[in-house]
Amino acid sequence: MEEILKQALLYDFYGELLTGHQKRVYEDVVLNDCSFSEVAENLGISRQGVHDMIKRCNRLLAGYEEKLHLVERFVNLRSQVGQIRKITEGQTENPAMREIERIAATILEEL
C-alpha cells in the first residue's frame, strides 16, 4: 500500500483518537502537504517539534492498527466486494446476479 494512502487511511480510522494539536499538525503535513517549516511557523513551534509530532502520530496510528486491524479489514472487504462485482458484472440474463451486482456496487460506494 502506498505510504500516503496508508497514512490517510490510518488517519481516517483513528484520527479522532489524537489530540486536537496532534490532528492539526498531522493534517497540515500529511493531508495538506505543508512543509514542516510552514507548519512550525503557523503554529509557533520548532521545525523539529513538527517532525517529532508527525513521528509520534505515525507511531500512535500504527499502534492502533496493530491492535484493532480496522484498516486491514476495510481493505480486504473492499477487495472482496470488488471481486464479487467483477464476477457478476454483465450477467444481465440472471436476475439474481443483477441484484448481487447492484448490492456489491452499493457496498463499494459506501466504503
Side-chain angles (χ1 to χ4, degrees), residues 13 48 69 78:
F13 278 85
Q48 183 63 44
H69 305 284
R78 187 173 56 184

Side-chain angles (χ1 to χ4, degrees), residues 42-58:
N42 290 340
L43 298 178
I45 58 178
S46 70
R47 186 184 176 288
Q48 183 63 44
V50 172
H51 177 266
D52 292 345
M53 178 74 67
I54 295 301
K55 285 183 74 167
R56 185 169 32 255
C57 288
N58 282 333

